[in-house]
Amino acid sequence: SQKIEQNSEALNIQEGKTATLTCNYTNYSPAYLQWYRQDPGRGPVFLLLIRENEKEKRKERLKVTFDTTLKQSLFHITASQPADSATYLCALDMFRQAGTALIFGKGTTLSVSS
Amino acid sequence: DGGITQSPKYLFRKEGQNVTLSCEQNLNHDAMYWYRQDPGQGLRLIYYSQIVNDFQKGDIAEGYSVSREKKESFPLTVTSAQKNPTAFYLCASSIDLGVRTEAFFGQGTRLTVV
């Protein structure tokens, strides 16, 4: 069955450093991969989408890479700030009986200390 | 102001009761989803719908039911057959299941069995 793994449950870094989060998947070749941010007690908020034919996508301090050979995506936050502390989820579109649905990893909780 | 609204924010259920969680969107999206999130877990797909009067089971549909009588509404009923219903429930929508864009989430309903 398809599986999505995010490398660690928690990541602690110092303010100003670059945070790198990993998402690995197996038994599937998604056309798209998405990253979301979730704050405690709230719904996830979309950050970035990257397509299989795109190697890299950037948005302000965020950068996502997508390596379909390694079946891996890396999510980077540069010049991290305490306000970046949250849980980050990766999601893949998986073909189902009727169209596709987003399937999520368990997330990585990032803590940025000042 | 466009968005997706879930209600109530908190819900308490007695053993053996059915309860219905509301999800309404005014984004004119065709696709809607229900996910369940347990502590330290990712989002698990319960049901999804691409069009009115059609919906499909996700990975953990047992003990749940849905309806899609209107494009903007996708209520979820947690039945007494669901043995462990205490969780955080998230509703989402996207333009179309076949067009890969981001999903928009509601703020969630936290269901507790008392």
Side-chain angles (χ1 to χ4, degrees), chain A residues 1 21 57 62 65 70 84 100:
Chain A
S1 63
L21 286 64
K57 200 86 168 273
L62 309 180
T65 62
L70 292 178
D84 295 326
T100 58

Side-chain angles (χ1 to χ4, degrees), chain A residues 32 34 36 38 41-44 46 49 51 89 93 96-98 100-106, chain B residues 33 35 37 41-43 45 48 50 56 58-59 88 90 97 100-103 105-107 110:
Chain A
Y32 303 85
Q34 302 184 28
Y36 289 77
Q38 186 177 24
R42 303 182 72 85
F46 171 78
L49 178 153
R51 294 172 172 77
L89 304 165
D93 63 312
R96 298 272 170 156
Q97 181 178 352
T100 58
L102 272 180
I103 305 301
F104 286 81
K106 292 184 178 181
Chain B
Y33 313 81
Y35 292 91
Q37 188 174 36
Q41 300 294 315
L43 281 64
L45 182 65
Y48 62 107
Q50 187 173 9
Q56 303 296 327
D59 298 317
F88 188 47
L90 287 159
L97 277 178
R100 300 319 297 146
T101 60
E102 69 267 31
F105 282 83
Q107 289 306 299
R110 190 167 298 281

Side-chain angles (χ1 to χ4, degrees), chain B residues 38-59:
Chain B
D38 295 284
Q41 300 294 315
L43 281 64
R44 292 187 289 166
L45 182 65
I46 305 173
Y47 269 97
Y48 62 107
S49 168
Q50 187 173 9
I51 56 172
V52 173
N53 292 323
D54 185 63
F55 46 83
Q56 303 296 327
K57 292 182 179 180
D59 298 317

Side-chain angles (χ1 to χ4, degrees), chain A residues 18-37:
Chain A
T18 296
T20 299
L21 286 64
T22 304
C23 177
N24 295 291
Y25 57 93
T26 59
N27 299 331
Y28 190 66
S29 296
Y32 303 85
L33 188 145
Q34 302 184 28
W35 283 90
Y36 289 77
R37 169 182 172 142

Side-chain angles (χ1 to χ4, degrees), chain A residues 79-112:
Chain A
S80 59
Q81 304 166 2
D84 295 326
S85 298
T87 296
Y88 293 86
L89 304 165
C90 73
L92 305 176
D93 63 312
M94 289 196 177
F95 180 76
R96 298 272 170 156
Q97 181 178 352
T100 58
L102 272 180
I103 305 301
F104 286 81
K106 292 184 178 181
T108 297
T109 298
L110 174 67
S111 296
V112 181

Side-chain angles (χ1 to χ4, degrees), chain B residues 34 49 53 55 65-70 73-77:
Chain B
W34 274 106
S49 168
N53 292 323
F55 46 83
S65 66
V66 293
S67 63
R68 187 87 187 274
E69 297 177 1
K70 297 185 296 182
S73 179
F74 192 39
L76 174 75
T77 296

